[in-house]
Amino acid sequence: MDDYVKLKKSLRNMQILVVIVIGLVVFSFAIDFLVVQKTVTTIEENLQTKPLKTSYVVQNLKGDAMETWYAWQPRDKIEIKIVGENNYPTDKIDAIKRAILSTETIEIDNNLVFKGDEGTSTYWIGWKGAVDHIREKRGIEKPLDISFTDKDEADIIITLTNSKSGEGLSGITNSLVNDEAQTILRSFITIYESDKLSNEHMEIIIRHEFGHVAGLAHATAPEDLMYPVIQTPAPYISECDVDALLHLYTGGKTSQVICES
Ligand SMILES: [Zn+2]
């Protein structure tokens, strides 16, 4: 009888333990979901109050504006210089670096982006992660070596300025290309009113401009990062952006970002 009571008691303890464990697992999933949802909602609210307007220009060595696609020549290393870095707080510069160097991905509920669509989609936070993913798909094992430098001859120059753009732009990318070889030689990003941009907006605008640096044109879909006016609740590198870049670097001969959803 004693043994029976003991057994019953330990079974009950086990049941309580199982319920607690299940509860904790469900709770942690719920917290995770809420955090992502809250981030996305906050970003959406911020972007609605101040949409980020962008532009990009592609010029050949003679200074003519070009209208077609261009891509970087195969390379394993790319260097970036930030001009004006010392005039801004470290966390603002870290936001720029995160948009470029992060290899993290984020899962976002489709309902938040394309209303009425079930499931989730993967987004990349930084271009390093997206590019390495593309390289892997192309069978290139070596990850891209992206680094920040003080050298004036860096491949990519990001200029931070407090001055206002005449056209009301937050950012612009100007790429210098060799029109015969159809290659990008160097890219110049300018971020206007850098002192007024929140770290979050700085990160988003750099993420968008870096898409142009990589060779992408604007997206036709308003819910994409590469839409000319950034207004998406998911301002991250989408699978659509990754597909467009993979297409461009595998002989696709187009820089268009066409998203089907
Ligand atoms: Zn743009």
Side-chain angles (χ1 to χ4, degrees):
M1 195 59 183
D2 236 18
D3 272 358
Y4 176 70
V5 170
K6 251 193 216 158
L7 184 67
K8 222 176 147 186
K9 212 174 161 186
S10 81
L11 269 178
R12 189 173 304 142
N13 283 344
M14 194 102 94
Q15 277 172 340
I16 291 170
L17 192 68
V18 166
V19 167
I20 289 174
V21 168
I22 291 175
L24 281 175
V25 167
V26 168
F27 181 71
S28 79
F29 269 117
I31 288 288
D32 244 21
F33 175 74
L34 287 175
V35 165
V36 169
Q37 198 174 33
K38 189 168 180 299
T39 311
V40 168
T41 315
T42 318
I43 290 172
E44 190 173 24
E45 279 163 8
N46 286 343
L47 288 178
Q48 268 168 2
T49 47
K50 191 189 183 297
L52 301 171
K53 207 175 144 196
T54 74
S55 183
Y56 76 102
V57 182
V58 177
Q59 282 175 307
N60 68 8
L61 292 168
K62 283 178 262 166
D64 308 320
M66 310 304 286
E67 292 279 322
T68 182
W69 60 273
Y70 290 91
W72 290 84
Q73 267 190 317
R75 54 172 65 219
D76 290 323
K77 187 175 159 57
I78 210 146
E79 289 188 318
I80 306 165
K81 179 185 167 103
I82 303 176
V83 177
E85 184 174 1
N86 297 332
N87 304 330
Y88 301 92
T90 323
D91 51 355
K92 195 164 264 184
I93 304 302
D94 287 345
I96 295 176
K97 292 185 176 170
R98 186 169 122 98
I100 296 171
L101 295 181
S102 173
T103 53
E104 274 176 74
T105 56
I106 180 171
E107 286 291 320
I108 295 176
D109 200 314
N110 289 341
N111 255 312
L112 292 166
V113 188
F114 327 98
K115 311 294 172 200
D117 194 344
E118 293 299 311
T120 64
S121 299
T122 304
Y123 295 81
W124 284 262
I125 288 175
W127 280 100
K128 162 96 176 125
V131 167
D132 285 346
H133 173 76
I134 291 165
R135 284 168 78 90
E136 219 176 281
K137 281 197 159 189
R138 293 174 62 202
I140 304 169
E141 271 177 43
K142 206 171 167 196
L144 182 63
D145 177 7
I146 307 182
S147 58
F148 285 83
T149 174
D150 287 334
K151 286 185 249 164
D152 290 333
E153 64 271 24
D155 307 289
I156 298 155
I157 307 283
I158 300 174
T159 303
L160 306 178
T161 170
N162 292 349
S163 61
K164 223 172 160 162
S165 139
E167 300 146 275
L169 300 173
S170 297
I172 186 164
T173 297
N174 196 323
S175 287
L176 191 63
V177 300
N178 176 336
D179 52 354
E180 270 162 40
Q182 261 183 310
T183 52
I184 301 171
L185 303 169
R186 289 183 86 190
S187 285
F188 303 85
I189 298 176
T190 305
I191 305 295
Y192 298 103
E193 295 179 90
S194 295
D195 53 336
K196 295 203 183 88
L197 281 178
S198 65
N199 293 345
E200 199 172 55
H201 277 181
M202 177 62 89
E203 185 179 321
I204 294 169
I205 192 95
I206 288 288
R207 194 177 286 125
H208 173 102
E209 296 306 333
F210 216 82
H212 292 314
V213 166
L216 292 183
H218 278 143
T220 47
E223 67 274 6
D224 197 82
L225 170 72
M226 293 313 291
Y227 195 66
V229 178
I230 312 168
Q231 56 189 34
T232 172
Y236 302 100
I237 303 153
S238 67
E239 284 172 27
C240 172
D241 303 328
V242 163
D243 286 347
L245 214 55
L246 179 63
H247 187 66
L248 172 65
Y249 283 87
T250 48
K253 301 195 177 197
T254 172
S255 54
Q256 292 305 315
V257 182
I258 298 157
C259 307
E260 288 160 21
S261 67

